[in-house]
Amino acid sequence: MFLIFQDVLFEIHLDFLNQSGIKKDLGSVNNKLKLFGLKVLHSISSSSSANTLQQKKTRETRFIREIEEMLYIIGLGLGDERDITLRGLEAVKKCQKLYIESYTSLLSFGISKDGISTLEKLYGKPLTVADREMVEEKADDMLLEAREFDVAFLVVGDPFGATTHSDLVVRAKKLEVEVKVIYNASVMNAVGVCGLQLYRYGETVSLPFFTETWRPDSFYEKIQRNRGLGLHTLCLLDIRVKEPSLESLCRGKKQYEPPSFMTIGVAIDQLLEVEQLRGESAYNEDTLCVGFARLGSENQMVVAGSMKQLRTVDFGQPLHCLTIVGKTHPVEEEMLDFYRN
Amino acid sequence: MFLIFQDVLFEIHLDFLNQSGIKKDLGSVNNKLKLFGLKVLHSISSSSSANTLQQKKTRETRFIREIEEMLYIIGLGLGDERDITLRGLEAVKKCQKLYIESYTSLLSFGISKDGISTLEKLYGKPLTVADREMVEEKADDMLLEAREFDVAFLVVGDPFGATTHSDLVVRAKKLEVEVKVIYNASVMNAVGVCGLQLYRYGETVSLPFFTETWRPDSFYEKIQRNRGLGLHTLCLLDIRVKEPSLESLCRGKKQYEPPSFMTIGVAIDQLLEVEQLRGESAYNEDTLCVGFARLGSENQMVVAGSMKQLRTVDFGQPLHCLTIVGKTHPVEEEMLDFYRN
């Protein structure tokens, strides 16, 4: 952190403070120091007429960023540990505590114990796995930590992609914790790889696992509408991780179902079942789709074909997602041809 | 590259071959070597009943990937040189020639000469800037190179985000050049940061600069439709870089207009002009919007407010984009509140 005060350059080396352990105690005097710093900045700003309001604001923001403890919400991308950005890794190295969210979108490096240790090796520090329970029930503990020292919350994909972490940001802001988001690829943009243009997508739908008694089909109208407009539809497929079993809920003791991920085959079965019930010809088994598995990983799989065709393809390990194709342009067609079964 | 042949492990060190200069000559014998390798793989596969078809295919693909020269299309993310992923940087280091596309979306590190040299320093090798002319007219030269050695084509954002590079992929595949895409954040998913959920966006629109004689307004129906459905609309704002000037076209000699980037203010003016002409109340100056400037960079700016309010905000340097807000959920509202002017 440095302050330029007229002709004198004051430098406060946060690195040095960190190493010497002084920074640990800074938390408590943080606000005083901040106010002092801002006061100095203001007196500089007002003494110099060359500064625009924009420049003054930027300088202030930068100053607060340097001094303030942060909650970094960092996107990890889609494939494996090498999909973090340099900016993300830099932030991870700065943080004293690392959490990784495990409940919304899991991937090869997130699912297994090995996956976590690969990450820990890369980061040089331990990771705390934050499952649904923890994020929902204990978020405030994590946020209180982020008032004392830098904390990272790692998210597979992008922090505001298929699953948003708005809740966490809202809570953080209420507790006056500074938040910095580090972007990455999300399934929402990576599906672009098949050649269907992202700006030709309509509203995205989520397909939930049907149970015997619960078969919601509100996605049907959305797909119908998109197709009516010639737009593509991205279908996000259900992920069930650490769901309490019905039986355990009845017994009042938490036990979890094994994790399950909807395959493209199951998704197509459910889609066709709903079409048969509704009978409004939103799509049928000959409708062109693109199936994606493990987007971003070394063995990602992208196959284009009719629902009937894709239903029989073995897409292998999760995660899967599916695009129902709308009206295509010639270049989109040419690209899809490379992925046809 | 390694081949497991029953109990024996054959290793062919590509690194060693590279260093010794032998790999340079591999291009010509590439196909023979590939066929030989696949033959060995097949004989192993058929001798082992434990292999599923999927495993065999994966092994084959991996083998081809190791031996084949590649065109890497690498997303650089949105902010600066630190937004490349580790996987992307690894690929860059492997490549003998690096191109960077400059014409579609430019950003701080792409615009200036300094920006390029920062990248070159990080990559440890020179960069060739590929402007629109080059990508459109000389892509095949680059692709022919990619048949001889590894080539990287670097793209700001994600390769299939706001601007797709499908054309290049189609050409590559026709020339039998292997393509590998390395994903990153795109403006299409990074706008999620304001708290409006990506799956509640309808079709994306592009706002072109109006000229005296050319004022296309096909975006109007799309926005109207999205708003009718309660969906948000992402407006991508025009970028004009290296556009031949009208005068120069008449004189048959290529001269370029200075680059220009549509600001949020101009976008709103154009939107309101069209609303006034069409008069179908798709939106008005009180419609809630979110303006984004320099997404992903250290000084990114996100402001929520009515069109009337945002029109007077100085968003500073490019790039800008704009979301016209649809119907919001309570969590979306809470997040937007943090960004209100």
Side-chain angles (χ1 to χ4, degrees), chain A residues 57-103:
Chain A
K57 268 210 147 175
T58 308
R59 209 177 298 142
E60 254 181 60
T61 318
R62 254 190 231 145
F63 172 74
I64 294 176
R65 270 201 200 126
E66 282 287 329
I67 187 88
E68 195 106 45
E69 311 307 337
M70 280 276 181
L71 173 69
Y72 290 91
I73 307 185
I74 302 173
L76 295 181
L78 295 166
D80 63 27
E81 75 283 357
R82 295 174 301 145
D83 289 297
I84 195 170
T85 63
L86 303 188
R87 187 194 293 269
L89 190 59
E90 207 174 86
V92 160
K93 300 264 181 194
K94 261 204 322 218
C95 288
Q96 282 187 47
K97 194 143 182 199
L98 309 179
Y99 292 91
I100 182 166
E101 71 102 43
S102 71
Y103 73 84

Side-chain angles (χ1 to χ4, degrees), chain A residues 65 82-87 90 164 173-174 180 183-184 189 197 200 203 298 300 334, chain B residues 65 82-87 90 158 164 174 180 183-184 189 197 200 203 298 300 334:
Chain A
R65 270 201 200 126
R82 295 174 301 145
D83 289 297
I84 195 170
T85 63
L86 303 188
R87 187 194 293 269
E90 207 174 86
T164 66
K173 300 232 177 194
K174 282 182 181 163
K180 197 176 153 86
Y183 304 107
N184 210 317
N189 68 295
Q197 295 184 306
R200 295 285 303 151
E203 191 175 356
E298 283 296 334
Q300 81 173 18
E334 258 188 311
Chain B
R65 269 200 199 129
R82 296 174 301 145
D83 289 296
I84 194 170
T85 64
L86 302 188
R87 188 194 293 269
E90 208 174 86
D158 182 72
T164 66
K174 283 184 183 163
K180 198 176 153 86
Y183 305 105
N184 211 317
N189 67 294
Q197 296 185 305
R200 296 283 304 150
E203 190 175 358
E298 283 296 335
Q300 81 173 19
E334 258 189 311

Side-chain angles (χ1 to χ4, degrees), chain B residues 13-24 94 96:
Chain B
H13 286 283
L14 286 182
D15 279 350
F16 169 74
L17 294 179
N18 262 331
Q19 278 158 23
S20 58
I22 298 173
K23 187 147 177 244
K24 267 204 164 160
K94 263 206 317 220
Q96 282 187 46

Side-chain angles (χ1 to χ4, degrees), chain B residues 25-144:
Chain B
D25 303 321
L26 270 182
S28 48
V29 290
N30 218 350
N31 278 325
K32 276 186 202 162
L33 200 56
K34 197 168 91 188
L35 286 175
F36 164 74
L38 283 178
K39 228 164 149 182
V40 177
L41 271 179
H42 283 157
S43 73
I44 306 165
S45 301
S46 52
S47 73
S48 157
S49 59
N51 285 303
T52 65
L53 192 68
Q54 170 85 14
Q55 284 170 326
K56 281 178 200 167
K57 268 211 147 174
T58 308
R59 210 177 296 144
E60 253 181 60
T61 318
R62 253 190 230 146
F63 174 73
I64 294 177
R65 269 200 199 129
E66 282 287 329
I67 187 86
E68 196 106 45
E69 312 306 336
M70 281 276 183
L71 173 69
Y72 290 91
I73 306 185
I74 303 172
L76 295 181
L78 295 166
D80 62 27
E81 74 285 355
R82 296 174 301 145
D83 289 296
I84 194 170
T85 64
L86 302 188
R87 188 194 293 269
L89 191 58
E90 208 174 86
V92 161
K93 299 265 182 195
K94 263 206 317 220
C95 288
Q96 282 187 46
K97 195 144 180 197
L98 308 179
Y99 292 91
I100 183 165
E101 71 102 44
S102 71
Y103 71 85
T104 49
S105 50
L106 284 161
L107 71 173
S108 51
F109 67 84
I111 293 173
S112 66
K113 287 247 169 208
D114 283 3
I116 295 294
S117 74
T118 309
L119 289 178
E120 288 178 332
K121 221 161 107 184
L122 177 64
Y123 302 158
K125 48 188 99 171
L127 263 176
T128 304
V129 177
D131 57 24
R132 174 181 295 215
E133 218 166 76
M134 142 113 216
V135 177
E136 279 173 8
E137 293 168 16
K138 292 177 192 160
D140 286 355
D141 297 352
M142 179 172 79
L143 293 173
L144 291 175

